[in-house]
Amino acid sequence: MKRCLYAFCALLLGAGSLSMPAMADSGIRLAVPDITGLLTEDQDGVYQKILHRALEATDVEVRESFYPYKRALLIFEQGDADCIYSFTEVLAQRLGEDAIIASFPLGKFSYYLFTSKEDKPVSKLERLEGKTVGAVIGHETYLDKVLGGHGINVIWSKSDAQNVAMMEHQRFSAMIAAVPDIRPFLDKLSYDPEQPLLESYDRLTCHNTEDNRRFLRELSAEMARLKEDGVYQQLAGSLYVEFEGGVAATTAPLAQ
């Protein structure tokens, strides 16, 4: 009798241990790339604040894992994350438009050419033919098409801060960076705000599964409400970039 009891207890313990990983793996695994001011390892970036506020209206658990910019993209592509901040258009091109879905925007971003404060703005890439330009590693995912066909030598560095410092030491003629990421350094830079090289939106981008579609539908409705109520601007402060919610909601493969 005791042997049967011990065997029964062992089966219960075994079943419990088998169920534990499934419980631990529940929720949304979110890859977080390093984007100046917008996404941080401490989870206090602008986009993280917006997402965390929106998640208060849902019952979904989201687990964030921070990675270097290009590593985050690889983690998502390999299926080791359910969702990732940003990269919507890039991933639609790489994986196919039917393979990914995206949320209401967390924000808008625009790439520009920047020069030192004392120099005149450069708005056209043609003016930099044969010269050296700085940009952040990983941003080639967006910039390759923009730079294609131009004879420009690009130095890819680790951060906007490093590029600003290198330009101050005249290591290159100009740098390419995104607004709002670059705003903490604008007092040292010159650019033409009417001449963006590229404009797009940062969203939560997910693999196209039933669970993710349900998650993004609920999340996007709350994000749109927060944007309309001015919470985006409140949380983003000086890094806020205005955009029209109705227009933004039709420019990417949204969750339906």
Side-chain angles (χ1 to χ4, degrees), residues 2 27 36 77 85 88 128-129 172 215:
K2 287 184 177 180
T36 307
E77 289 180 304
Y85 285 98
T88 305
L128 295 170
E129 296 283 345
F172 39 71
F215 166 58

Side-chain angles (χ1 to χ4, degrees), residues 202-246:
D202 282 318
R203 308 170 186 267
L204 209 63
T205 308
C206 303
H207 293 289
N208 189 1
T209 68
E210 183 177 349
D211 286 345
N212 289 343
R213 288 193 296 271
R214 184 167 54 249
F215 166 58
L216 287 192
R217 281 196 299 269
E218 185 177 0
L219 181 70
S220 291
E222 180 63 12
M223 290 166 70
R225 186 189 69 80
L226 293 176
K227 166 70 170 61
E228 183 66 22
D229 290 348
V231 177
Y232 270 38
Q233 186 168 6
Q234 174 191 343
L235 293 176
S238 63
L239 293 180
Y240 180 73
V241 175
E242 183 58 76
F243 63 89
E244 294 296 327

Side-chain angles (χ1 to χ4, degrees), residues 123-153:
S123 58
K124 301 292 185 182
L125 285 169
E126 288 78 3
R127 292 183 56 191
L128 295 170
E129 296 283 345
K131 297 184 179 180
T132 301
V133 173
V136 173
I137 294 172
H139 287 199
E140 66 270 20
T141 54
Y142 286 101
L143 296 175
D144 276 351
K145 286 189 175 181
V146 175
L147 293 168
H150 294 283
I152 297 172
N153 177 36

